[in-house]
Amino acid sequence: MKPHEIEDPKLQELARKLGAQAAERLDVERMAQAVLAGLRQPARQRTWLVWTQVAWVRAAATVVLLVGIGVVVQPRSEPVRGAWEDPPAGAVQDLSADQLTRVLDELNQPVDVTVPASEDAGLEDLSEPQLRALLQSLEG
Amino acid sequence: MAQPQPVAAPTDAALIAAWQRGDEQAAAELVRRHARTLARFLAGAGAQEADLDDLVQDTFIRVFRSIARFRGDCQFRTWLLTIGGNVLKDAGRRAGRSKVIPLAEDFATTDGDPHAEAEAGEAADRLRDELGRLPRMQREVFLLRAQQGLDYGEIAAALGTTAGAARVHYHHAQRRLRESLT
C-alpha cells in the first residue's frame, strides 16, 4: 500500500465525532412513534402533494420556455419610417456624378419663405393714409 | 430447573420481513436501532441540527415505503444511510443552500484542556467546511468508511459502484481533508 493510501487515524477519529452529540440528543422513542404516524398517513396524499409540487414546477418551466421561444421567434416589426428619416447610406453612394450634381443644384435653390409680418414690425413703414385705414379698421 | 434461554434479538432482515407483513412494531424497532446512526451520518454530511429530526423521520418513511426495492445486497443500515444522503440532498435542493451543522460543540468536551478543546474545535470546523466542498460520492464514501466503519465492498454495494472505485473516492477525500487540517 502506498504511503498516501494509509488511512489517517486522526481523521477517522474526527469523523467519528461528527454529529455525535446531535445524534445523542435525538429522542429515539419519539422518533419511532413519529415515523409510524407518518407511515399511517395515506401514501397517496403524500404522493399527491409531491406530484402537485412537481406539476407546478413543470408548468412554470413550460411557461418560461414558451415565453422565451416567443421572444426569440417573434418577427421583428418594420421600423416606422419618419418624414425626416435619412435615406439609406447606399442610396447616395449609388448616384452617378451627374445625378449628384442635379441633387446639389436643387438643394441650392433659394427657398421662397414668406414670413408673416408682425403687427408692430411694419408700422413705421406704413404711409399716413395706410395708418388711418388701419386705425379705422381696428376701431370697427 | 432449566434456566430460560435469552431471547435473541430479531435480525434486521427478520424485522423487515415482519414490517412487510404489516407489523408496525417491527418498523418501530428498526427506527430505535438505527435512528442515532442515521442522525450522526446526516449531521456529518452537513445537516443542520434543527433539521435533523425531520430528515431522520423522512428517511425512515421513505425507506419503509420503498422497502420492496431493498434487495439485501448490503446491510439495511448501509442502505438506510444512502437513502438518508438522498433525502439530505433533496432537502438541500429545496432550501437552495448548503446546510451545515456547527460541530464545535461536539468537540468541546473531548478533554478538560481549553487549548486542546480549541484546537479540536478548529479542526472540526475545517473538516466540516472541507467535507461540504467534497463531491457527494467522496463525502459519502468517506463518512461511510471513516465514521461508520464500513468496508469498501459494503460501501460499493450501497452506492452502486465497485470496491476499487470506493477506495479511490475515499483516498481522494482523505487527501483533501488532511490538507485542510494541516
Side-chain angles (χ1 to χ4, degrees):
Chain A
M1 182 176 280
K2 296 172 187 172
H4 72 275
E5 289 183 348
I6 296 170
E7 294 186 4
D8 188 331
K10 182 187 168 194
L11 208 51
Q12 291 187 336
E13 176 68 18
L14 277 173
R16 275 195 289 273
K17 290 177 179 172
L18 286 178
Q21 286 196 350
E24 281 303 309
R25 281 192 284 271
L26 192 78
D27 185 338
V28 172
E29 193 51 45
R30 196 169 62 84
M31 178 58 64
Q33 298 311 314
V35 170
L36 291 184
L39 288 170
R40 287 185 201 116
Q41 277 188 343
R44 194 176 298 165
Q45 184 185 349
R46 294 177 66 90
T47 309
W48 183 83
L49 284 171
V50 172
W51 184 88
T52 307
Q53 289 173 346
V54 171
W56 273 111
V57 170
R58 282 183 181 164
T62 305
V63 168
V64 169
L65 193 64
L66 289 174
V67 169
I69 290 171
V71 168
V72 171
V73 173
Q74 183 183 20
R76 292 182 180 178
S77 57
E78 288 294 320
V80 178
R81 291 182 180 275
W84 301 102
E85 188 181 19
D86 291 335
V92 176
Q93 289 169 354
D94 292 340
L95 295 176
S96 66
D98 290 338
Q99 289 171 321
L100 274 172
T101 306
R102 279 201 297 276
V103 169
L104 288 171
D105 288 343
E106 285 177 14
L107 290 174
N108 286 332
Q109 291 297 318
V111 179
D112 183 19
V113 177
T114 306
V115 178
S118 153
E119 286 179 7
D120 298 331
L123 289 178
E124 295 87 352
D125 301 330
L126 295 177
S127 63
E128 200 171 316
Q130 288 172 320
L131 278 171
R132 263 195 217 104
L134 179 62
L135 281 170
Q136 283 171 357
S137 69
L138 290 172
E139 287 168 1
Chain B
M1 184 175 172
Q3 293 291 321
Q5 292 293 316
V7 179
T11 62
D12 285 355
L15 291 170
I16 291 167
W19 157 247
Q20 287 179 308
R21 290 192 301 271
D23 181 356
E24 280 194 342
Q25 287 314 307
E29 181 56 27
L30 284 166
V31 175
R32 289 184 199 104
R33 274 187 195 181
H34 299 294
R36 287 213 167 102
T37 301
L38 174 61
R40 205 152 59 90
F41 175 79
L42 291 170
Q48 287 186 339
E49 187 170 351
D51 300 332
L52 214 46
D53 275 20
D54 287 345
L55 290 167
V56 169
Q57 185 182 348
D58 287 353
T59 302
F60 273 111
I61 289 173
R62 194 182 288 191
V63 159
F64 288 129
R65 286 200 191 284
S66 57
I67 200 79
R69 291 208 296 271
F70 176 57
R71 298 188 304 273
D73 297 337
C74 59
Q75 296 173 40
F76 172 75
R77 178 176 64 129
T78 316
W79 190 60
L80 171 75
L81 298 181
T82 56
I83 292 183
N86 292 338
V87 169
L88 178 63
K89 185 185 75 175
D90 292 347
R93 193 184 295 150
R94 278 198 300 274
R97 62 194 164 90
S98 172
K99 296 183 170 188
V100 290
I101 183 172
L103 292 169
E105 61 174 326
D106 286 339
F107 296 83
T109 56
T110 49
D111 64 30
D113 180 1
H115 179 68
E117 285 178 7
E119 277 191 345
E122 284 176 20
D125 285 345
R126 287 200 296 272
L127 181 65
R128 176 200 61 201
D129 291 347
E130 196 59 32
L131 263 174
R133 281 192 282 269
L134 289 180
R136 185 182 166 204
M137 188 65 121
Q138 285 184 24
R139 181 170 58 245
E140 292 200 359
V141 168
F142 177 80
L143 286 171
L144 290 172
R145 174 76 182 159
Q147 186 194 54
Q148 304 292 331
L150 299 177
D151 64 49
Y152 289 116
E154 177 76 5
I155 295 168
L159 296 177
T161 184
T162 64
R167 187 186 292 272
V168 170
H169 284 305
Y170 180 84
H171 287 291
H172 278 304
Q174 182 177 253
R175 194 183 62 230
R176 279 183 58 174
L177 295 170
R178 193 188 283 148
E179 284 169 3
S180 76
L181 293 177
T182 53

